[in-house]
Amino acid sequence: MSEYQIRSSVSADVTVDEVTAKYKPAYEFHGGEYSASVQIKFGTLSAASVTLSIADARKLTESLPAILAEHDAVSVSVPVSLVKAA
C-alpha cells in the first residue's frame, strides 16, 4: 500500500439511537491506493462515526469481550437502585 493508507479517526456529537458497522474494501482512486477499513456509524443520521483501520478493528474486537465481561461483573454486584440512577 502507499502513503494513502486509512488511519483511524473519530468524530462525534450525537445522541445514539442506532449503531451500524460497514466493511470498506481497499480501493484505488486517482492513482492512490487506500487500505481496507471498518466504518462504525452512530445514530440514524450518522452524525458521528469512527473509521478504523483493519488492524485497529482487530484490536478492538480482541479487547471487547474482556470489557463487556468487566461491565457484566460490575453490573451484577451493584445495587439495583444505583443501576437505575445511572
mmCIF file of all heavy atoms in Angstrom, residues 33-53:
data_model
loop_
_atom_site.group_PDB
_atom_site.id
_atom_site.type_symbol
_atom_site.label_atom_id
_atom_site.label_comp_id
_atom_site.label_asym_id
_atom_site.label_seq_id
_atom_site.Cartn_x
_atom_site.Cartn_y
_atom_site.Cartn_z
ATOM 1 N N GLU A 33 -3.666 4.399 -3.589
ATOM 2 C CA GLU A 33 -4.208 3.161 -3.042
ATOM 3 C C GLU A 33 -4.653 3.401 -1.606
ATOM 4 O O GLU A 33 -3.895 3.925 -0.802
ATOM 5 C CB GLU A 33 -3.164 2.052 -3.083
ATOM 6 C CG GLU A 33 -2.746 1.649 -4.477
ATOM 7 C CD GLU A 33 -1.709 0.539 -4.478
ATOM 8 O OE1 GLU A 33 -1.481 -0.068 -3.419
ATOM 9 O OE2 GLU A 33 -1.119 0.301 -5.530
ATOM 10 N N TYR A 34 -5.883 3.023 -1.303
ATOM 11 C CA TYR A 34 -6.445 3.210 0.033
ATOM 12 C C TYR A 34 -6.693 1.851 0.668
ATOM 13 O O TYR A 34 -7.257 0.953 0.034
ATOM 14 C CB TYR A 34 -7.743 4.015 -0.051
ATOM 15 C CG TYR A 34 -7.515 5.415 -0.574
ATOM 16 C CD1 TYR A 34 -7.477 5.672 -1.938
ATOM 17 C CD2 TYR A 34 -7.297 6.469 0.304
ATOM 18 C CE1 TYR A 34 -7.240 6.945 -2.419
ATOM 19 C CE2 TYR A 34 -7.064 7.745 -0.166
ATOM 20 C CZ TYR A 34 -7.039 7.974 -1.535
ATOM 21 O OH TYR A 34 -6.798 9.239 -2.007
ATOM 22 N N SER A 35 -6.281 1.693 1.897
ATOM 23 C CA SER A 35 -6.411 0.401 2.568
ATOM 24 C C SER A 35 -7.851 0.147 3.021
ATOM 25 O O SER A 35 -8.651 1.070 3.143
ATOM 26 C CB SER A 35 -5.462 0.338 3.768
ATOM 27 O OG SER A 35 -5.770 1.355 4.691
ATOM 28 N N ALA A 36 -8.155 -1.114 3.267
ATOM 29 C CA ALA A 36 -9.472 -1.504 3.764
ATOM 30 C C ALA A 36 -9.677 -0.923 5.165
ATOM 31 O O ALA A 36 -8.725 -0.681 5.909
ATOM 32 C CB ALA A 36 -9.583 -3.019 3.800
ATOM 33 N N SER A 37 -10.948 -0.715 5.527
ATOM 34 C CA SER A 37 -11.259 -0.161 6.846
ATOM 35 C C SER A 37 -12.642 -0.620 7.284
ATOM 36 O O SER A 37 -13.376 -1.245 6.526
ATOM 37 C CB SER A 37 -11.199 1.375 6.811
ATOM 38 O OG SER A 37 -12.169 1.880 5.906
ATOM 39 N N VAL A 38 -12.973 -0.298 8.510
ATOM 40 C CA VAL A 38 -14.296 -0.562 9.069
ATOM 41 C C VAL A 38 -14.855 0.777 9.520
ATOM 42 O O VAL A 38 -14.210 1.499 10.278
ATOM 43 C CB VAL A 38 -14.231 -1.536 10.266
ATOM 44 C CG1 VAL A 38 -15.593 -1.705 10.899
ATOM 45 C CG2 VAL A 38 -13.663 -2.875 9.823
ATOM 46 N N GLN A 39 -16.058 1.113 9.043
ATOM 47 C CA GLN A 39 -16.697 2.367 9.444
ATOM 48 C C GLN A 39 -17.865 2.037 10.362
ATOM 49 O O GLN A 39 -18.725 1.228 10.025
ATOM 50 C CB GLN A 39 -17.200 3.144 8.243
ATOM 51 C CG GLN A 39 -17.785 4.491 8.632
ATOM 52 C CD GLN A 39 -18.257 5.269 7.420
ATOM 53 O OE1 GLN A 39 -18.929 4.739 6.554
ATOM 54 N NE2 GLN A 39 -17.890 6.537 7.373
ATOM 55 N N ILE A 40 -17.892 2.656 11.544
ATOM 56 C CA ILE A 40 -18.964 2.472 12.510
ATOM 57 C C ILE A 40 -19.701 3.800 12.628
ATOM 58 O O ILE A 40 -19.085 4.828 12.905
ATOM 59 C CB ILE A 40 -18.414 2.045 13.883
ATOM 60 C CG1 ILE A 40 -17.580 0.771 13.725
ATOM 61 C CG2 ILE A 40 -19.552 1.842 14.876
ATOM 62 C CD1 ILE A 40 -16.764 0.421 14.942
ATOM 63 N N LYS A 41 -21.004 3.765 12.372
ATOM 64 C CA LYS A 41 -21.819 4.981 12.437
ATOM 65 C C LYS A 41 -22.744 4.905 13.647
ATOM 66 O O LYS A 41 -23.319 3.864 13.936
ATOM 67 C CB LYS A 41 -22.647 5.140 11.165
ATOM 68 C CG LYS A 41 -21.808 5.416 9.938
ATOM 69 C CD LYS A 41 -22.680 5.633 8.714
ATOM 70 C CE LYS A 41 -21.831 5.964 7.503
ATOM 71 N NZ LYS A 41 -22.662 6.221 6.317
ATOM 72 N N PHE A 42 -22.886 6.046 14.311
ATOM 73 C CA PHE A 42 -23.725 6.150 15.493
ATOM 74 C C PHE A 42 -24.893 7.077 15.196
ATOM 75 O O PHE A 42 -24.691 8.185 14.733
ATOM 76 C CB PHE A 42 -22.925 6.713 16.674
ATOM 77 C CG PHE A 42 -21.721 5.893 17.012
ATOM 78 C CD1 PHE A 42 -20.490 6.192 16.450
ATOM 79 C CD2 PHE A 42 -21.818 4.814 17.866
ATOM 80 C CE1 PHE A 42 -19.373 5.435 16.744
ATOM 81 C CE2 PHE A 42 -20.705 4.054 18.174
ATOM 82 C CZ PHE A 42 -19.475 4.364 17.612
ATOM 83 N N GLY A 43 -26.091 6.638 15.488
ATOM 84 C CA GLY A 43 -27.264 7.471 15.251
ATOM 85 C C GLY A 43 -27.851 7.227 13.877
ATOM 86 O O GLY A 43 -27.171 6.792 12.954
ATOM 87 N N THR A 44 -29.122 7.496 13.734
ATOM 88 C CA THR A 44 -29.801 7.256 12.468
ATOM 89 C C THR A 44 -29.390 8.247 11.386
ATOM 90 O O THR A 44 -29.465 7.945 10.214
ATOM 91 C CB THR A 44 -31.330 7.309 12.649
ATOM 92 O OG1 THR A 44 -31.672 8.562 13.254
ATOM 93 C CG2 THR A 44 -31.810 6.182 13.537
ATOM 94 N N LEU A 45 -28.922 9.416 11.764
ATOM 95 C CA LEU A 45 -28.482 10.409 10.785
ATOM 96 C C LEU A 45 -26.973 10.361 10.565
ATOM 97 O O LEU A 45 -26.422 11.171 9.835
ATOM 98 C CB LEU A 45 -28.898 11.814 11.230
ATOM 99 C CG LEU A 45 -30.400 12.020 11.387
ATOM 100 C CD1 LEU A 45 -30.694 13.419 11.910
ATOM 101 C CD2 LEU A 45 -31.119 11.798 10.067
ATOM 102 N N SER A 46 -26.302 9.431 11.231
ATOM 103 C CA SER A 46 -24.859 9.248 11.097
ATOM 104 C C SER A 46 -24.076 10.518 11.368
ATOM 105 O O SER A 46 -23.125 10.841 10.669
ATOM 106 C CB SER A 46 -24.524 8.693 9.714
ATOM 107 O OG SER A 46 -25.182 7.481 9.502
ATOM 108 N N ALA A 47 -24.477 11.249 12.377
ATOM 109 C CA ALA A 47 -23.781 12.473 12.728
ATOM 110 C C ALA A 47 -22.435 12.191 13.388
ATOM 111 O O ALA A 47 -21.592 13.068 13.455
ATOM 112 C CB ALA A 47 -24.646 13.326 13.652
ATOM 113 N N ALA A 48 -22.239 10.955 13.841
ATOM 114 C CA ALA A 48 -20.964 10.585 14.435
ATOM 115 C C ALA A 48 -20.516 9.271 13.828
ATOM 116 O O ALA A 48 -21.334 8.392 13.549
ATOM 117 C CB ALA A 48 -21.098 10.447 15.947
ATOM 118 N N SER A 49 -19.230 9.166 13.611
ATOM 119 C CA SER A 49 -18.716 7.919 13.059
ATOM 120 C C SER A 49 -17.277 7.701 13.493
ATOM 121 O O SER A 49 -16.592 8.634 13.895
ATOM 122 C CB SER A 49 -18.793 7.929 11.530
ATOM 123 O OG SER A 49 -17.912 8.892 11.003
ATOM 124 N N VAL A 50 -16.864 6.448 13.418
ATOM 125 C CA VAL A 50 -15.490 6.055 13.688
ATOM 126 C C VAL A 50 -15.055 5.213 12.504
ATOM 127 O O VAL A 50 -15.756 4.275 12.121
ATOM 128 C CB VAL A 50 -15.374 5.224 14.987
ATOM 129 C CG1 VAL A 50 -13.956 4.754 15.207
ATOM 130 C CG2 VAL A 50 -15.875 6.001 16.177
ATOM 131 N N THR A 51 -13.942 5.548 11.905
ATOM 132 C CA THR A 51 -13.379 4.726 10.847
ATOM 133 C C THR A 51 -12.082 4.131 11.383
ATOM 134 O O THR A 51 -11.186 4.868 11.786
ATOM 135 C CB THR A 51 -13.110 5.558 9.577
ATOM 136 O OG1 THR A 51 -14.341 6.127 9.134
ATOM 137 C CG2 THR A 51 -12.527 4.689 8.477
ATOM 138 N N LEU A 52 -12.033 2.816 11.409
ATOM 139 C CA LEU A 52 -10.880 2.110 11.964
ATOM 140 C C LEU A 52 -10.122 1.388 10.866
ATOM 141 O O LEU A 52 -10.732 0.803 9.963
ATOM 142 C CB LEU A 52 -11.340 1.062 12.985
ATOM 143 C CG LEU A 52 -12.100 1.566 14.199
ATOM 144 C CD1 LEU A 52 -12.647 0.396 14.999
ATOM 145 C CD2 LEU A 52 -11.196 2.419 15.068
ATOM 146 N N SER A 53 -8.810 1.427 10.964
ATOM 147 C CA SER A 53 -8.009 0.572 10.097
ATOM 148 C C SER A 53 -8.351 -0.874 10.467
ATOM 149 O O SER A 53 -8.869 -1.140 11.555
ATOM 150 C CB SER A 53 -6.516 0.834 10.315
ATOM 151 O OG SER A 53 -6.143 0.448 11.633
#
